[in-house]
Amino acid sequence: MNLEEYFKRIGFQGSYEALDLPTLKMIHKRHVMSIPFENLSIHCGERITTDLQVIFDKVVRGRRGGWCMENNLLFGWVLREMGYDTTTLGARVFSASSQDFFPYESHLINKVIIDGKPHIADVSFGMSSQVWEPLELISGKDQPQAAGIFRLIEKGDVWMLEKTARKPEFLNPECAKSSLINRNLTRLVYCFSLSPRQVEDFSDINHKLQTTPTSLFTNKSICSLQTATGFKGLVGWTYSEVTYKPEEGVDVFSMRDITEEEIEEVLREQFNVVLQNKVQPVSTKLSYTM
């Protein structure tokens, strides 16, 4: 593994000698614009591992995407190789159906200290909740980004990530009825503590998420990639393009169902993903919003 291959993968050509916030922001943004958040391995009969070498070969050399335990593990390695003060943390995702956080840490993020100030780097949540740049770890501060206004809220030993989005606008009226649309403009994303985690701490949940019948990731085939103006998403057979228009106070949704025969073409042309094994799309009624 080497940084040069990674930087080529994300299209980063700048200097990375200065371990400052502008450099971190640039690399963070290039990652989410170049490497999809996706769980397609599950639906291709492949096993997802937390082995860093396997992740590097898949995501960097194989030009694939991955979920948080791949993308954020890789990103954490990159930051440490560069020399950033980086700590792995675990987060509990908010469940809209139960209106509470899941009881287990299924999401991996990174804390980065720059000039004595902590930041949260997360390159792998995907869709409309994906931050493009690290968030400063300050409680209650509005941190506007392309997707909306993010804020971190401290309650005791727990930090919560909250997002306020814009009103959705639909290019095709049938989009308005889609269960994939999140109609809550202000919503919780996940919560976390500042207790350091090790890769081994995610081994069990990494296995369960890709094997348990009740897991979101066995019930939905997902791929998303951030773009210069918003993001693209593929959930099952539904392909979406979302354009952020902060100046108008709206996010514009364009959604259409595609055939199974179109899946490989859409993945290749819209997400730059070429799969070695055939994907079997799936999208059950299990709740999930973009």
Side-chain angles (χ1 to χ4, degrees):
M1 300 189 298
N2 63 79
L3 288 176
E4 286 69 26
E5 280 187 85
Y6 169 79
F7 290 142
K8 183 178 180 181
R9 171 72 174 92
I10 66 170
F12 177 71
Q13 298 177 331
S15 169
Y16 56 91
E17 294 182 359
L19 299 179
D20 54 17
L21 186 57
T23 301
L24 175 60
K25 285 183 175 182
M26 176 60 71
I27 295 171
H28 193 290
K29 188 173 182 179
R30 288 306 314 157
H31 187 115
V32 301
M33 297 280 178
S34 306
I35 299 178
F37 170 82
E38 52 108 331
N39 70 338
L40 300 178
S41 288
I42 297 172
H43 306 286
C44 292
E46 302 164 0
R47 178 174 173 267
I48 298 175
T49 176
T50 55
D51 183 293
L52 189 56
Q53 180 67 65
V54 174
I55 294 169
F56 189 92
D57 288 341
K58 172 186 174 181
V59 175
V60 177
R61 292 173 177 153
R63 304 191 66 81
R64 280 282 303 277
W67 63 10
C68 70
M69 280 168 272
E70 297 172 291
N71 273 321
N72 277 329
L73 269 180
L74 173 64
F75 197 64
W77 171 82
V78 168
L79 297 181
R80 292 184 184 92
E81 283 291 295
M82 292 175 68
Y84 281 104
D85 180 354
T86 307
T87 304
T88 301
L89 303 178
R92 295 187 291 126
V93 175
F94 186 76
S95 168
S97 57
S98 68
Q99 286 297 295
D100 199 1
F101 298 101
F102 284 107
Y104 47 81
E105 294 180 347
S106 61
H107 188 56
L108 186 155
I109 58 179
N110 290 291
K111 182 183 74 173
V112 188
I113 306 292
I114 300 176
D115 296 330
K117 296 180 180 180
H119 297 77
I120 296 299
D122 183 354
V123 296
S124 196
F125 200 88
M127 302 293 183
S128 66
S129 293
Q130 178 62 60
V131 294
W132 288 9
E133 297 179 346
L135 297 169
E136 192 171 358
L137 194 63
I138 294 180
S139 183
K141 178 182 178 181
D142 284 357
Q143 302 190 52
Q145 294 198 11
I149 298 174
F150 293 90
R151 64 188 65 86
L152 291 163
I153 303 168
E154 183 182 16
K155 285 194 176 181
D157 296 332
V158 176
W159 287 80
M160 297 180 293
L161 174 61
E162 181 182 78
K163 180 201 169 186
T164 298
R166 291 173 289 269
K167 182 181 177 180
E169 187 177 279
F170 306 102
L171 285 183
N172 36 345
E174 59 270 22
C175 294
K177 302 177 182 179
S178 174
S179 62
L180 293 171
I181 302 298
N182 193 327
R183 291 167 175 80
N184 297 319
L185 296 189
T186 296
R187 54 188 181 267
L188 291 166
V189 182
Y190 53 73
C191 70
F192 58 95
S193 78
L194 300 182
S195 299
R197 297 289 184 257
Q198 303 298 322
V199 176
E200 295 75 20
D201 295 326
F202 297 92
S203 297
D204 287 345
I205 193 64
N206 180 70
H207 174 71
K208 289 178 182 178
L209 289 176
Q210 57 187 309
T211 57
T212 305
T214 56
S215 165
L216 165 67
F217 296 109
T218 58
N219 282 269
K220 303 280 187 183
S221 53
I222 300 169
C223 186
S224 81
L225 184 65
Q226 306 300 303
T227 69
T229 56
F231 71 91
K232 302 174 182 178
L234 178 65
V235 182
W237 298 267
T238 302
Y239 173 68
S240 305
E241 293 184 357
V242 179
T243 303
Y244 298 142
K245 293 193 173 182
E247 68 283 355
E248 300 177 23
V250 297
D251 293 339
V252 180
F253 285 74
S254 172
M255 306 172 71
R256 65 183 176 93
D257 290 333
I258 61 177
T259 65
E260 194 150 340
E261 289 71 27
E262 293 178 277
I263 293 287
E264 288 187 7
E265 179 184 355
V266 168
L267 287 172
R268 181 179 64 254
E269 294 187 357
Q270 303 300 332
F271 302 93
N272 298 314
V273 168
V274 176
L275 302 172
Q276 290 185 330
N277 300 308
K278 184 174 176 58
V279 65
Q280 300 293 329
V282 62
S283 183
T284 71
K285 293 183 178 180
L286 191 71
S287 177
Y288 177 70
T289 58
M290 298 190 301

